[in-house]
Every structure is written in C-alpha cells, then in structure tokens.
Amino acid sequence: MDHESIAIYLNALESGSERRRDINLIIVGKKSVGKTSLVRRLFGEELQSVKSTNGIEIHRRRCRINLSNWEWNKVLDTRLVKETSINNRILQSIVKELHQDKEKPKHDILEISSSDQISTDDNKGTITKNIEHDEEPQPKRAKMNYQFAYPEITESPLSKLAKDELLSIIGSAVDLQDEDGYANLTVWDFAGDIEYYNTHQTFLNSEAIFLVVANLHDIDDTVSYGTFNFWMDTIHCYGSINNKTEAVLLEGAHNLLDPPVIAIGTHKDKFQDEEQCRKRLESYTDKIFKDSKLHLRSIHLISNTEDVEDAFEKLRNDIFATAKSTANWNREYPVKFIQMEKAINSELTIGKQIISFERLKELGEKIPLPITDNKELHLFLRYQHEIGNVIFFEDIPSYIILDPQWLANAFTCIVTAQQFQLELPHLQWDNFKKTGKMDPKLLEEIFKKQSADMRIHKEHILEVIEKFDIIIYPLLLTESGNVQREHSFFYVPCMLQTLKIKDIDVLFNVPNASKSTCLCFVFSFLPPYLISNLIVSCLREYPLAVVKGEIGLFKDCCVFNIGRTGCAKFVLAKSSHMIQLQVWQWDEVDTEVNQAVLKVVEREINRIVNTRYKLKTVSFEKKWKCETTSFSFDTGFLEFDQVNDGEKYYCEEHATVHKYKDYWSGEKSKAPVRLSSEEQNYVRMSMIVLEVLSGVLYDRLYIDTKTGEILDRDKLDITEMCKKYCALKINFPSKGFRKIEKVDEISTNEDAIGDDIQRIRVIRNEMQHSSVFALDDTRYQTLITTVHDMLTRFDQRNNPAGESYVKRLDKIRKMELKTRSFEEIKERMKAGNLSDIFFMFEVQE
Ligand SMILES: Nc1nc2c(ncn2[C@@H]2O[C@H](COP(=O)(O)OP(=O)(O)OP(=O)(O)O)[C@@H](O)[C@H]2O)c(=O)[nH]1
Ligand SMILES: [Mg+2]
C-alpha cells in the first residue's frame, strides 16, 4: 500500500462526495385497508398469510435505478450486505477521485482499465485488487484494475489509519457497478390501529414519500374518511415548499408541497367500473384541507387480490418518478459521512442498538479523517434520520437509535392494539385502559410473551421508551407532603380510554372563584399525539393530582399539583383543535403561579413541535375563555389585547357580561402599546430580509452550485450563504465582497448578480446593526425601491417556484403587524440572532 493512494483516499474523505438516492416510503391508512398486502405486491410476493400489522414493520431493499427496467430487488439489508455496500461506496469514491486527478500533472496514473486479474503489491507503490462478489443475483460486474505510482512520504498516524481502512475494504467484497445502479429503498409498513399513532410519530419525517391508503368499499364510512383526512393533515405538519424549482416549473406545476403523497384506493375488485372507483377516492381528496392537498401527486386504484403485475409496475414507476422530483434526490453526500456510517454500523454489529451523542463523537474522532465538529455530526445524524437509517432527536441526544425496527418492537411491548391484547386474555387490560397504570404484575406478564432478546433487555427498553415520551414514572405527593418520583409502576397516557374532560372540575370539586380564565392554545391542525407528549413532559415536572383515591390522568386530559400543599393545581385538556390550560387556586390567587405554569407548558409545546418532530406547519395562537367555560366549548375566544384588567366584556358562551381579571399578565405587559411608523418600517424590512432575501440567495446558491448541495434550509443565514457563494468564485461584485457598508455605495451595474448579492448582504447588515430598531420613512422607501428592482431581476434569473419574489415583497409591505412580540424581537436583534424572527412575529394579511 503506497502513501499516495492513502493520500487520495484521505482527500476523497475530505472533499469528495457521492450522489445519494434514497427513497423512504411510508405506508399509512386505516386498519385492514390492505397496506401490508400492497407492500407484498410491490415486492412481487404472495399474499397468503398476511396478518394484521403489530406496530411497524420496516423493510429495507435496494432497487435498480432504471426507468425502463425498474425492479425492486429482494436484497434484504442484512448487516453483512450493509457493510459490503458501505465498502463499495468508499472504494467508488476513491476511483472517482482517481478519475478527477487524471487531469492533474502531479498524479501519474498509469492505468485505469477493465481486467479480470488484479493483485496487491505493497512494495512497488501500487494498489491492485481482485474484486469479488458474494451477493446473488448479480448483474454484470465491473472488474476494475487501477494502478498508480507516487513518491514515498512519511507515514503519519492518520495515513496508518487510512491504510488499515483501505486494506480492510480491499479484503471485502465490492461491486462498483452495483452501487452506481441502485437506490436504497426503505419501506415502512405502519399498523392502522389508532393505539399506535403515538409511536408512529417517531418514525415520520419530512423527507419521506407517503402512500395514504383507503379501502374504496368503505368510502362512505365516516371513520374511514376521518383516518384519510387525519393522515393527510399529519403529513402536512411536515410540509415545506418543493424547491426543486426547475423540475416543478418544467411540469407546469406550482406551489407543490413536500413530502409527496400518492393516494391509493384498494379493493377495486369489488366494483365493476374504474370510473366509479375514481370518483369514490376523489370524494376524499376533494374534501381535504386545501394546503394538505398540495402534497398529493397522484392517485392509484388497485386490487391487491385480483390485479395483475401491470398495476403494481405502474405504481412502482410512479413512486420512482415522485422520488426523483423531491429536493434531495441525487444529493451530494460527503464521503466522510460514509466513514461515519461504517463506524455506527460496526456498533450495531457488536449488538449496540443505541449510542449516545458522546459515543458518536468518539467514533467521529477515530475515523481516518476525523469529524470533530458537533454541527457536522448533527448534520450527519439529521441526514441519517431522514433516510430512516437511525432515529435521532436533538432533545434526546443520549439515545441515538441505530436500528429503527428495534425501537418499533420496543414500543409494541407496551403500546398494544386491541387485537394483540386479545392474545393475552387473562391479563387485566381493563384497569390499564381506564387508569393508564402499568403495574409490575401486568408488565411481567407482558414481557413473558416477548422474544428472549426483548425479555433480557426489559429495563433498558423501559428506559428508552420513557425517553420517547411513551411512559412516565410519575411524581406523587406522599402522605407526609413530600414530592417523590414513583419507580414501582408507570403510566402510559396514550393508552387511556376514559374520557373525563367534561366533568373534571366536578370531580375535583373546584369552586368557580378558584378558577383562572382558560388559556387556549388554538391550532390550525392539532396533531392528536401532542397532548400525550405534553402530559408526559409536564408529569416530569409536576406531581400528578389525586382526589378521593382517583388519579387526575384521563384520555386527553390531566390534572397536576403545583407545589407541595395541593392548594394550587392546573389542568391540561385537549378538545377539538385546542389545548386548554386552567389554573385552580383554592387559597389566595397569585398570578405569578399562572405565568410560571404557562411558561413551562408553552416551552414544552414548542419543544415537541419544533425540536422533537420539526413540524414545519404547526403553529398556535394563544387566546382565552372565561373562568366558568366548559372545556368542550371551542368558539368565542377572546384576544389578549382585547380587554384590560378590571374591564367588562361580553362572554359568548354564557351570553352575559363578565369582568376581566388578568391572570396571564406577562402576555400583555411585555408589549408596547403600539408600534411607531419607524418601528413598523424596521420590522417590515427585517422580515423582508429574512423571508424574501435569504430565500433569493438560497435559490441562487442552489442554482449556481448545480449540485443540490446539502444546505440547512431551516437556518438560512445570509453571511454563511454569502461565504459559500464567494467560494464559488463566480459573479464577483464589482467592488469586492467586504469593502461596502451601505447599499448606496454599490455599483449601479444592475446586471451583475454579484452586486445584487452584495446588496442583500449590506441590507441585512444595516438591519442587524441598527441600534435604534427604527427606520425612517425616507430610508425605508429607498430600501424598498432598491429591493423591489433587485427582486424583479431575480424573478427573471432564478425563476422561483411558487409565488414571485416581488409578490412576496408586496405581501409583507401590506401586512398588518401586531405588536406583542416586538420587545422579544429587539432582544434577538441585539443578540445578532436573526433567524426565526419571522415565525415569532404574528402577522395577519
Ligand atoms: N378483496 C380485496 N381484499 C383485500 C385487498 N387488499 C387487502 N385485502 C384483504 O384485506 C385484509 C387485510 O389486509 P392487510 O394487508 O393485512 O391490511 P393492513 O392495512 O395491512 O391492516 P393492518 O396492518 O391491520 O392495519 C386481508 O385479508 C387482505 O387479503 C383488495 O384490494 N381486495
Ligand atoms: Mg398491515
């Protein structure tokens, strides 16, 4: 093994990349509609012995990328195959590097040719390799012979690592041809039972393609439509604009949202007429929420039992075409990351299903070209999560799940659909469903039925599923008035079936005078599992309230104690599209208690929505209802700045007048009464920078890199993007990048893209470095004219998907601004943290 080959390898690791083609296909729909049967047919398998799915089944396959001859190969992704595949990818990157180096004079590549006979010779400075295969069935294989000679260099510890690595790859089976010709397909077959919806959530993500399946025969059933609608809305929670600008424009489609959905109607065999089937399925797709509809790409009508292969071939091709139209198809993947994949795969091989971020860091340090930057490791994990290789959430970094099926199995130990509960008829399910309480005896019986592997790891499984918010060991008040964490049993909120929301205050005997106004988090779409996650989160901080021996935990509703005395409690209750919070104080009312609880609850909702699940389209508004409201009343909300403390207001629910008491005053006192016109100008311009200009720059970068390079779209930062653009060494601004401070100093050469990028940078700086957070009318008008002209040019150059940039600008100019978050925004401006401001600022068109 010569040093230059090691150098090439290290270079490939540092700067090289491969094209990834990953399809993450998730199949959802009501119970028994035919999801598993559909998976079988897609894989060309028999339908016999299809059983109802318990939880989630993950099938991983590789399939050939060839539109005319596209087959879903039955290569199971066993660990051995995975290892081989990783080695192939590494070796291929070296060969690619060699090809690239061909043009460089210092590299003296002697030969790259096809030959059957390859050998290894360390002394003469050549790598040769006989590439063999142990996979079957195999198409034509490329037998590569590559030899090269370089001067000797001193061996460093790094090159020693690289040498060992290369030797180990060379000693394994590789097939360069195959890697180029395959896409990785992961199919997730989800159970239809509602009990699992809480656990399904862990496996969904914004990069998948969804098949939403409905039984055409069931179409008039309201539960059937409800489930279809539920899945479309749930998918929309992950919605983002499909930014593959060119592809979308070419097909004449606008404003499509990812993740894409293909709607499938099964049981076509029960109808004579295909047109009738189509109308039935369209009666669903026509009714769904207009934004959820933007995910829908096509519909397919099939019979799993009767249709011949053609129908499934058509569907396979459609899935493939859909995958190709997603933003991340063929994206560049750093070769270094393949190394990391190899490192985590070896952890799996030695039986570790879970590793911590700390362990990942250690692994990152040990690979031939170490990854030590946390951000880079996070990017790696995010990508791996998106393609379904690992499960990783930023808020639980100690639990990186290397085998998603293991986690799915762990979930189904505890979250069990009715049908699977029936297999253990002798157990006390009723009490479990009523109280959510899992006592040690029931737990023991359940684990007796699990596989040996699961039984051995019982404690570990419980620890993991607690981290994933499925179970909670509650805090309880002891008789002596202390707060203690319970360890002998736990609760499973998502399994509860007893609904008590209506009479919860009667149960706790709460006098009206003790109740606060009811704070409502009103969602446009409220993911149903959110309340269980939220209850678990709050039970980590507050003791569960108990009254007359009955605990305050019910389906979609929970009562917590605040402090040790029990004199103050709060309730969280879900009803239709809102989560409600009410504080009960039997003693003197202290509004600081309300504010403290609100802070925790709001923080946890934001964590679940934004950090845990990264739900891009889920947002809420905080409103309120009167003290004596019924939790099921879901209209007639009042705005926080509508009434002042002590003022009277009309209550729609009780058709009478009440006096307003300000329990949540933190809500109001923070905000200035009104924004001045200069402040409004400033806020508008900041929003234009964040919402429009950063998008322009992103699109331009995307077009000019021509690589679809991985960019963190969530954290668009103009400085970072300018740096990247600068590195492309094209379209330099007329006066260089750094010298200009004001937009007025930029050359008047309006054709130059570089000058416009410069304009974006300095306008953003002007906003960020403002010390007064105000912009006078003249300056605002000057900037608006500059931005307007520039956006007209970029509309021509970038041809953006969806709305034109100028239209987006006009929207912000006309928006009505609310004042509440202004102080908070100023703080963030001062801190230099400009991202996300737009989302914090509540705006109305
Ligand atoms: N006639 C007819 N029967 C079908 C069709 N698709 C599925 N079935 C039958 O419906 C039953 C349920 O099918 P599955 O594939 O298990 O349904 P599933 O959606 O995976 O069910 P869960 O995993 O329990 O949610 C089986 O008996 C299938 O044979 C179809 O297109 N036509
Ligand atoms: Mg199934």
Side-chain angles (χ1 to χ4, degrees):
M1 174 92 42
D2 71 291
H3 293 295
E4 275 308 317
S5 56
I6 295 166
I8 285 186
Y9 176 45
L10 289 175
N11 195 34
L13 281 179
E14 185 157 40
S15 57
S17 60
E18 64 164 347
R19 296 249 175 221
R20 289 303 306 256
R21 292 174 287 264
D22 298 286
I23 306 174
N24 218 8
L25 188 67
I26 296 182
I27 303 178
V28 293
K30 203 183 126 208
K31 188 172 167 59
S32 297
V33 291
K35 300 178 291 296
T36 304
S37 307
L38 175 64
V39 174
R40 296 247 181 132
R41 293 295 318 253
L42 284 172
F43 283 125
E45 295 165 356
E46 295 295 316
L47 281 197
Q48 280 120 17
S49 71
V50 173
K51 277 201 200 130
S52 178
T53 309
N54 188 17
I56 300 160
E57 282 171 24
I58 304 164
H59 314 258
R60 209 161 277 171
R61 315 275 167 129
R62 292 198 299 156
C63 60
R64 176 166 293 285
I65 301 180
N66 179 341
L67 253 180
S68 57
N69 175 26
W70 198 56
E71 54 189 54
W72 289 26
N73 248 314
K74 292 178 199 167
V75 182
L76 281 172
D77 199 13
T78 59
R79 282 163 201 174
L80 178 71
V81 173
K82 205 166 168 182
E83 178 77 35
T84 312
S85 154
I86 290 175
N87 283 340
N88 291 353
R89 286 160 53 205
I90 292 176
L91 199 54
Q92 201 169 45
S93 68
I94 306 171
V95 172
K96 199 172 135 198
E97 190 82 3
L98 273 170
H99 279 281
Q100 279 166 359
D101 281 351
K102 224 175 179 178
E103 290 132 40
K104 297 180 196 162
K106 90 175 175 75
H107 288 178
D108 182 17
I109 296 167
L110 301 177
E111 188 187 345
I112 298 179
S113 65
S114 286
S115 152
D116 285 345
Q117 197 48 53
I118 308 172
S119 64
T120 310
D121 186 335
D122 270 356
N123 300 330
K124 290 177 191 157
T126 57
I127 296 180
T128 49
K129 161 73 179 129
N130 191 0
I131 298 162
E132 290 166 357
H133 310 270
D134 57 6
E135 288 179 42
E136 41 79 33
Q138 292 297 338
K140 272 190 226 149
R141 294 162 191 158
K143 305 248 173 168
M144 305 290 293
N145 179 6
Y146 42 92
Q147 303 183 348
F148 45 93
Y150 296 104
E152 290 287 308
I153 52 167
T154 337
E155 190 171 85
S156 67
L158 208 59
S159 52
K160 163 94 176 63
L161 275 174
K163 180 180 172 180
D164 293 347
E165 183 63 39
L166 274 177
L167 282 173
S168 88
I169 297 169
I170 287 167
S172 68
V174 286
D175 190 339
L176 302 178
Q177 183 74 20
D178 272 0
E179 279 312 313
D180 232 9
Y182 280 95
N184 299 305
L185 169 74
T186 306
V187 177
W188 308 72
D189 178 15
F190 280 28
D193 310 82
I194 200 133
E195 288 91 337
Y196 294 119
Y197 286 6
N198 245 66
T199 55
H200 286 356
Q201 189 58 35
T202 311
F203 303 94
L204 306 181
N205 72 62
S206 58
E207 303 296 323
I209 295 174
F210 287 84
L211 301 189
V212 182
V213 187
N215 178 343
L216 293 165
H217 196 249
D218 260 4
I219 236 83
D220 302 321
D221 173 40
T222 50
V223 178
S224 170
Y225 172 69
T227 314
F228 186 86
N229 196 29
F230 161 81
W231 277 114
M232 291 304 296
D233 283 346
T234 300
I235 294 163
H236 179 57
C237 291
Y238 295 90
S240 63
I241 290 181
N242 179 312
N243 62 1
K244 214 169 187 186
T245 320
E246 284 148 295
V248 173
L249 284 180
L250 271 178
E251 283 154 29
H254 293 270
N255 279 330
L256 287 180
L257 294 181
D258 278 339
V261 172
I262 297 173
I264 313 268
T266 55
H267 292 246
K268 192 182 74 179
D269 47 281
K270 301 205 171 112
F271 300 88
Q272 300 279 316
D273 177 5
E274 171 134 357
E275 201 40 43
Q276 193 191 356
C277 292
R278 180 168 300 279
K279 280 200 181 125
R280 287 178 84 85
L281 191 55
E282 281 175 355
S283 73
Y284 276 12
T285 54
D286 286 350
K287 265 192 285 182
I288 52 180
F289 173 54
K290 69 176 187 354
D291 288 353
S292 300
K293 207 169 174 173
L294 297 173
H295 295 267
L296 201 60
R297 300 295 194 270
S298 56
I299 68 174
H300 284 251
L301 308 161
I302 54 161
S303 164
N304 284 318
T305 48
E306 308 289 323
D307 272 345
V308 290
E309 176 55 20
D310 275 6
F312 299 95
E313 185 66 21
K314 229 170 103 197
L315 178 56
R316 282 195 285 263
N317 286 341
D318 200 11
I319 293 167
F320 181 50
T322 306
K324 277 174 69 181
S325 76
T326 55
N328 288 324
W329 182 256
N330 239 347
R331 70 173 147 187
E332 297 268 337
Y333 186 72
V335 172
K336 263 199 222 181
F337 284 8
I338 313 177
Q339 272 298 329
M340 274 312 291
E341 258 184 77
K342 189 169 173 156
I344 60 171
N345 194 45
S346 47
E347 292 285 286
L348 198 53
T349 330
I350 56 168
K352 289 194 180 155
Q353 272 100 3
I354 299 172
I355 58 167
S356 68
F357 191 75
E358 288 309 310
R359 175 68 188 144
L360 187 85
K361 268 169 86 170
E362 282 170 29
L363 295 173
E365 280 160 14
K366 282 187 195 147
I367 60 175
L369 201 83
I371 303 180
T372 49
D373 181 14
N374 280 0
K375 271 195 203 152
E376 211 172 345
L377 288 171
H378 267 113
L379 190 64
F380 166 77
L381 284 172
R382 249 178 83 173
Y383 182 78
Q384 288 285 307
H385 177 89
E386 280 162 7
I387 63 172
N389 250 3
V390 306
I391 302 290
F392 167 67
F393 295 109
E394 272 169 37
D395 58 334
I396 22 180
S398 302
Y399 293 80
I400 303 167
I401 311 285
L402 304 182
D403 179 3
Q405 184 69 66
W406 181 88
L407 186 65
N409 295 345
F411 283 162
T412 49
C413 290
I414 302 300
V415 178
T416 317
Q418 297 263 353
Q419 178 183 338
F420 301 98
Q421 290 174 14
L422 290 176
E423 290 172 14
L424 298 164
H426 59 290
L427 301 186
Q428 298 298 312
W429 294 109
D430 280 352
N431 196 40
F432 176 51
K433 284 188 268 185
K434 200 168 141 220
T435 63
K437 183 175 167 181
M438 176 71 80
D439 63 41
K441 254 177 91 185
L442 180 60
L443 187 67
E444 202 179 306
E445 292 293 324
I446 289 173
F447 268 88
K448 270 189 198 159
K449 285 293 254 183
Q450 307 297 333
S451 66
D453 181 46
M454 288 286 163
R455 282 202 308 272
I456 294 165
H457 296 107
K458 178 178 152 199
E459 292 309 317
H460 184 50
I461 287 171
L462 296 178
E463 180 192 322
V464 174
I465 63 175
E466 194 206 350
K467 291 287 166 199
F468 284 81
D469 290 353
I470 302 297
I471 65 169
I472 177 78
Y473 294 93
L475 287 171
L476 292 174
L477 276 185
T478 62
E479 280 176 12
S480 53
N482 292 325
V483 177
Q484 236 175 44
R485 170 87 53 211
E486 184 56 58
H487 288 289
S488 61
F489 68 89
F490 56 80
Y491 289 107
V492 192
C494 63
M495 290 299 285
L496 278 163
Q497 289 186 354
T498 315
L499 204 69
K500 277 265 164 87
I501 293 179
K502 214 164 89 280
D503 41 29
I504 190 107
D505 54 344
V506 177
L507 181 71
F508 278 83
N509 198 9
V510 193
N512 285 345
S514 300
K515 297 175 182 171
S516 72
T517 48
C518 182
L519 192 137
C520 307
F521 298 90
V522 183
F523 290 76
S524 50
F525 171 69
L526 173 61
Y529 47 81
L530 188 62
I531 185 70
S532 310
N533 284 59
L534 184 63
I535 288 174
V536 169
S537 302
C538 291
L539 283 174
R540 290 205 176 101
E541 294 190 36
Y542 294 97
L544 184 59
V546 183
V547 64
K548 294 175 204 135
E550 188 165 3
I551 55 159
L553 177 62
F554 306 97
K555 184 176 164 58
D556 295 341
C557 165
C558 188
V559 183
F560 307 82
N561 274 315
I562 304 169
R564 286 184 306 107
T565 61
C567 294
K569 302 188 197 301
F570 75 93
V571 57
L572 283 175
K574 177 195 155 211
S575 176
S576 62
H577 57 301
M578 60 182 169
I579 290 177
Q580 301 171 72
L581 161 65
Q582 189 170 55
V583 176
W584 304 328
Q585 297 188 66
W586 278 264
D587 202 358
E588 215 165 285
V589 173
D590 175 358
T591 55
E592 277 188 18
V593 169
N594 296 48
Q595 286 156 37
V597 170
L598 171 59
K599 211 166 156 191
V600 171
V601 172
E602 190 168 4
R603 183 195 71 207
E604 286 306 305
I605 294 179
N606 280 323
R607 181 185 62 78
I608 297 162
V609 170
N610 300 322
T611 314
R612 172 70 58 92
Y613 298 126
K614 298 198 184 310
L615 304 175
K616 297 177 189 153
T617 58
V618 174
S619 60
F620 60 81
E621 277 191 289
K622 277 178 290 177
K623 306 204 174 189
W624 60 277
K625 298 188 292 174
C626 81
E627 289 85 343
T628 51
T629 186
S630 142
F631 289 124
S632 55
F633 189 77
D634 62 359
T635 56
F637 305 110
L638 288 121
E639 302 280 340
F640 271 99
D641 40 16
Q642 201 171 331
V643 200
N644 290 317
D645 199 26
E647 219 179 325
K648 287 190 173 161
Y649 66 93
Y650 178 75
C651 166
E652 193 181 309
E653 185 176 352
H654 300 107
T656 184
V657 166
H658 298 316
K659 193 166 168 189
Y660 179 67
K661 175 160 173 55
D662 178 14
Y663 289 90
W664 318 96
S665 72
E667 285 302 293
K668 279 177 72 178
S669 60
K670 271 195 225 155
V673 178
R674 260 191 71 77
L675 290 182
S676 69
S677 117
E678 286 79 10
E679 283 168 337
Q680 287 204 29
N681 290 341
Y682 177 77
V683 167
R684 271 185 223 286
M685 193 45 74
S686 301
M687 284 164 68
I688 290 165
V689 168
L690 291 163
E691 250 309 271
V692 191
L693 300 190
S694 66
V696 169
L697 195 48
Y698 181 91
D699 290 349
R700 195 62 235 164
L701 197 56
Y702 189 88
I703 293 167
D704 284 339
T705 51
K706 296 189 180 67
T707 59
E709 183 187 351
I710 302 170
L711 273 180
D712 200 343
R713 230 200 132 101
D714 292 347
K715 295 187 180 109
L716 294 179
D717 178 81
I718 287 183
T719 311
E720 282 306 307
M721 287 194 284
C722 280
K723 270 192 209 155
K724 272 183 189 283
Y725 204 87
C726 196
L728 295 178
K729 302 201 166 88
I730 53 167
N731 296 328
F732 275 119
S734 327
K735 295 188 186 171
F737 251 111
R738 291 179 196 284
K739 292 168 198 138
I740 311 274
E741 292 308 325
K742 284 264 175 204
V743 71
D744 323 64
E745 297 165 31
I746 297 172
S747 142
T748 47
N749 179 4
E750 289 171 345
D751 294 336
I753 290 184
D755 283 340
D756 276 342
I757 289 174
Q758 179 78 305
R759 283 184 181 93
I760 293 177
R761 190 181 70 83
V762 294
I763 293 174
R764 169 231 151 102
N765 285 353
E766 188 173 337
M767 293 301 104
Q768 190 175 8
H769 301 152
S770 162
S771 51
V772 288
F773 306 103
L775 206 58
D776 69 44
D777 287 348
T778 323
R779 185 69 192 151
Y780 178 68
Q781 281 314 329
T782 311
L783 290 180
I784 284 288
T785 311
T786 309
V787 170
H788 182 276
D789 293 351
M790 177 169 75
L791 291 183
T792 311
R793 295 190 286 276
F794 272 118
D795 272 328
Q796 294 282 327
R797 293 171 187 145
N798 290 6
N799 207 359
E803 259 175 346
S804 71
Y805 299 134
V806 170
K807 240 188 177 159
R808 296 181 213 176
L809 169 77
D810 288 344
K811 262 193 178 166
I812 296 179
R813 290 176 67 187
K814 286 186 209 142
M815 261 172 191
E816 186 194 316
L817 301 176
K818 288 191 182 180
T819 56
R820 225 180 316 140
S821 308
F822 187 60
E823 289 303 313
E824 226 168 316
I825 285 168
K826 272 168 43 176
E827 284 308 311
R828 297 185 65 165
M829 292 280 200
K830 279 187 222 158
N833 181 359
L834 280 174
S835 58
D836 286 351
I837 288 174
F838 177 73
F839 304 102
M840 293 169 43
F841 215 87
E842 290 174 26
V843 287
Q844 281 181 348
E845 271 181 53

